[in-house]
Amino acid sequence: MKRILVTGITGTLGRQVAGMLRSFGAEVRGLSRRPGQDFQGDLADGSGLGAALSGVDTVVHCASDTRRLGRGDLQGLRNLLAAAGRAGRPHVVFVSIVGVDVIPYPYYRVKLAAEGLVEGYGGTILRATQFHEFVLGGARIAARLPVVFAPDVPVQPISTRDVATRIAELADGPPAGRVPDLGGPEILRAPDLFRDYLQATGRDRRLVPVRLPGATFGAFRRGAHLAPSHRSGGERWADFLHARTSG
Ligand SMILES: NC(=O)c1ccc[n+]([C@@H]2O[C@H](COP(=O)([O-])OP(=O)(O)OC[C@H]3O[C@@H](n4cnc5c(N)ncnc54)[C@H](OP(=O)(O)O)[C@@H]3O)[C@@H](O)[C@H]2O)c1
């Protein structure tokens, strides 16, 4: 039975990953800056990492300062990899995002540099498309206004459960470098997803698709964040939304 440390275990993906790994029979331990998980620690200053990594076979790195566009993520990853090096070099599995090498969005630049660090360590990198929860979060924020603005871009939303399943498979295997991307089952348009949300929550609002100037938005418009030939067969947006908004 593998002993696996999940960083970011309190997050959207980390929670699913921990559950999936346990269902695969792994012994899972979680790291969080807050009390309540198996290990309390902070990637930013490396505190608690030695104890958390002691005796683990694998680390699934789901932690990221997503709210601050990954500020501190690179130092946190350097601290994690250094501590892993001192703890017998466990397999490190890193979750990245499709298109980080093409889209000049600041958070994606951080993810790309992080991939380089994991590559140098000899770990495994999985790029995924946007999570259903991420799209739902965007729709919720947009729906706070009387007129709902939606970016006029395609999206390939994926269930975090499906990403977690793939991660659990990768965590069970040997280091594999960058593996094929993983995208959701369908490519849809963000304005349609936001409209679905408004309908599902009974909001009668005007929705305006928005086209923004600039290289980042242009790359999203061209679909640089999509993985059309790597579609998961998993949960579709409509089913996810129904489960989240009904009852
Ligand atoms: N959202 C998407 O659509 C998407 C798509 C593809 C890939 N990804 C990637 O998937 C990963 C997980 O994303 P998510 O949406 O699940 O993130 P999330 O919900 O924002 O969770 C972030 C986690 O990181 C932990 N964390 C942040 N800073 C930390 C630090 N200094 N030390 C220790 N833990 C720290 C937090 O734990 P505590 O607060 O408990 O310490 C939290 O559990 C990220 O790498 C993201 O780039 C996301």
Side-chain angles (χ1 to χ4, degrees):
M1 183 165 67
K2 284 203 168 158
R3 189 177 292 157
I4 302 181
L5 174 69
V6 178
T7 72
I9 196 163
T10 58
T12 308
L13 179 64
R15 195 172 301 127
Q16 292 283 347
V17 166
M20 194 58 69
L21 288 170
R22 288 194 179 105
S23 76
F24 271 49
E27 181 192 321
V28 176
R29 48 168 80 168
L31 176 82
S32 167
R33 286 166 297 184
R34 295 168 275 169
Q37 296 300 323
D38 307 296
F39 290 90
Q40 192 171 355
D42 192 339
L43 289 158
D45 60 12
S47 60
L49 294 185
L53 281 156
S54 165
V56 303
D57 304 293
T58 305
V59 180
V60 178
H61 185 40
C62 296
S64 171
D65 196 345
T66 50
R67 281 172 199 83
R68 294 193 310 156
L69 298 182
R71 199 188 304 173
D73 278 11
L74 287 178
Q75 188 52 48
L77 179 56
R78 280 189 201 102
N79 291 338
L80 180 71
L81 296 178
R86 292 189 293 272
R89 297 192 72 79
H91 177 195
V92 172
V93 179
F94 178 66
V95 191
S96 189
I97 307 172
V98 174
V100 291
D101 51 340
V102 181
I103 305 172
Y105 181 52
Y107 181 52
Y108 286 14
R109 292 209 159 117
V110 171
K111 299 295 294 185
L112 184 62
E115 286 186 0
L117 295 178
V118 175
E119 232 162 57
Y121 174 88
T124 299
I125 298 160
L126 173 68
R127 291 183 183 175
T129 56
Q130 279 62 47
F131 303 159
H132 286 326
E133 287 86 348
F134 178 77
V135 176
L136 180 60
R140 279 187 177 134
I141 291 170
R144 287 181 193 154
L145 294 176
V147 175
V148 176
F149 298 98
D152 195 9
V153 296
V155 206
Q156 190 179 350
I158 187 165
S159 158
T160 42
R161 199 181 153 75
D162 296 333
V163 179
T165 304
R166 180 73 184 118
I167 289 172
E169 289 164 2
L170 293 169
D172 202 33
R178 190 174 146 214
V179 299
D181 296 348
L182 184 64
E186 3 171 54
I187 296 175
L188 304 162
R189 297 209 64 87
D192 294 331
L193 304 185
F194 282 24
R195 200 170 286 113
D196 292 343
Y197 171 74
L198 294 175
Q199 210 164 41
T201 55
R203 290 173 168 85
D204 185 18
R205 302 272 177 81
R206 190 159 83 87
L207 186 139
V208 180
V210 180
R211 286 169 76 99
L212 297 172
T216 295
F217 194 80
F220 278 116
R221 211 171 41 231
R222 285 192 301 278
H225 59 306
L226 305 176
S229 49
H230 299 285
R231 299 174 191 238
S232 79
E235 187 185 37
R236 290 170 185 274
W237 162 254
D239 298 324
F240 166 83
L241 185 64
H242 179 72
R244 284 302 180 94
T245 54
S246 64

